[in-house]
Amino acid sequence: MKVKRVKQAKRIIAFYQQNFGLRQPYQVLIDGSFAYAALKAKINIIEQLPKYLGGEVQCLTTRCAGIELRLLGSAGNGALQIIKQYDERRCGHTVAKAQPTPDCITSLIGEENRHHYIVATQDMDLRKRLRQIAGVPLLLITHNTIMLEKPAEASMHAADRVVESKLAGSVAEQQFVRRLKAGEEPAASGTTMKRKHRKGPNPMSCLKKKPRLTTMTEAGRASSKAPLEKKKRVRRRRKGVEQATPSGASD
């Protein structure tokens, strides 16, 4: 797989991701014509698609595509065996009222491609229809390789409108900021915004400090720190027995 082809696919995928919300796992709708071309070119779709698209891929098909291949008989057996490996996306068409594959896939895509499908088809009529719908990536097999088509004009115009809306929003925000800096009042709207003003000092820090009072306990603590005088003891002898009496006592 050539590096240039993979880089080009990454740019196209990034375009759909940024403008239309394409995300992994990529849901690829595969019809019988694409499966037949892959069989002829000996391409393993399940193995090659994740490498080419650079992410996880979920291969899908429809009931109408399988019915169409069965009607071809032996010519469609190989392609039928390939799409039987894929999950069947419910298209709402019964076996009795099966639609041609282009009509079936177009109805699944809808007007906006809300489910973000990537369509893999060799059908020229179907690709022409899907190019008119914005945000539909198209895969085809050419020169025995899988290729991702460049975005169609409908997708490019839709992406331009998305960019213009984003730019308009950013310009409005810039003007709003300029008005606030200039001191103008913002335009009336459903929500009111409060302007920030300089706050005054903390009222708790403005309180006068209370004078320090000396209490009796502090005075008592100070006096208790002074050393105490020890009383002198005087020894007296009385009948051979020493007795200790405090000084100043009478004999």
Side-chain angles (χ1 to χ4, degrees):
M1 192 176 292
K2 293 184 179 180
V3 177
K4 184 178 180 181
R5 187 165 63 92
V6 174
K7 286 184 177 179
Q8 184 179 7
K10 285 183 179 180
R11 287 195 294 268
I12 297 173
I13 289 294
F15 168 82
Y16 287 106
Q17 287 175 339
Q18 294 172 4
N19 297 289
F20 300 101
L22 186 67
R23 59 187 180 273
Q24 296 186 38
Y26 303 125
Q27 300 185 88
V28 183
L29 273 175
I30 301 171
D31 69 350
S33 64
F34 189 87
Y36 181 80
L39 178 65
K40 199 172 180 180
K42 298 180 180 180
I43 295 174
N44 189 332
I45 298 175
I46 296 177
E47 181 182 343
Q48 292 295 322
L49 274 183
K51 293 180 181 179
Y52 180 60
L53 298 179
E56 188 180 351
V57 173
Q58 184 180 6
C59 294
L60 306 170
T61 190
T62 64
R63 177 182 297 175
C64 295
I67 293 173
E68 190 175 65
L69 289 174
R70 289 189 185 94
L71 293 176
L72 294 176
S74 60
N77 283 339
L80 181 61
Q81 296 303 318
I82 291 175
I83 67 171
K84 276 184 177 180
Q85 305 173 38
Y86 311 145
D87 295 333
E88 188 177 285
R89 182 63 71 197
R90 293 183 179 179
C91 57
H93 304 134
T94 61
V95 177
K97 296 182 179 181
Q99 300 292 320
T101 303
D103 296 339
C104 176
I105 292 181
T106 303
S107 65
L108 270 178
I109 296 298
E111 296 180 357
E112 300 177 355
N113 192 17
R114 292 182 179 178
H115 298 287
H116 309 292
Y117 291 122
I118 300 174
V119 180
T121 180
Q122 301 293 109
D123 193 310
M124 291 294 295
D125 179 48
L126 178 56
R127 294 215 304 269
K128 187 177 179 180
R129 292 188 197 181
L130 297 179
R131 289 190 190 112
Q132 305 302 318
I133 304 172
V136 183
L138 296 174
L139 284 169
L140 72 154
I141 294 175
T142 178
H143 300 95
N144 295 332
T145 55
I146 300 174
M147 292 293 294
L148 187 62
E149 276 193 6
K150 292 182 179 179
E153 290 185 4
S155 297
M156 296 296 292
H157 291 325
D160 291 340
R161 289 194 293 270
V162 171
V163 173
E164 288 175 1
S165 63
K166 290 181 180 179
L167 289 176
S170 62
V171 170
E173 290 176 359
Q174 291 176 4
Q175 292 177 353
F176 182 78
V177 172
R178 287 173 187 169
R179 288 178 183 175
L180 288 180
K181 288 183 178 180
E184 299 178 6
E185 292 295 331
S189 60
T191 58
T192 58
M193 296 181 63
K194 294 182 179 180
R195 295 185 60 184
K196 293 183 178 180
H197 298 281
R198 187 176 178 181
K199 296 181 179 180
N202 188 356
M204 297 301 293
S205 63
C206 299
L207 296 176
K208 293 182 179 180
K209 294 183 178 180
K210 295 180 179 180
R212 186 176 178 182
L213 300 176
T214 57
T215 60
M216 294 299 294
T217 56
E218 292 181 354
R221 289 174 186 171
S223 61
S224 64
K225 292 181 181 178
L228 298 174
E229 269 187 53
K230 294 183 178 180
K231 293 183 179 181
K232 293 181 180 180
R233 300 171 64 90
V234 179
R235 295 185 177 185
R236 294 182 59 186
R237 292 184 178 181
R238 181 179 296 176
K239 295 181 180 180
V241 180
E242 291 184 352
Q243 291 182 355
T245 58
S247 59
S250 58
D251 292 337

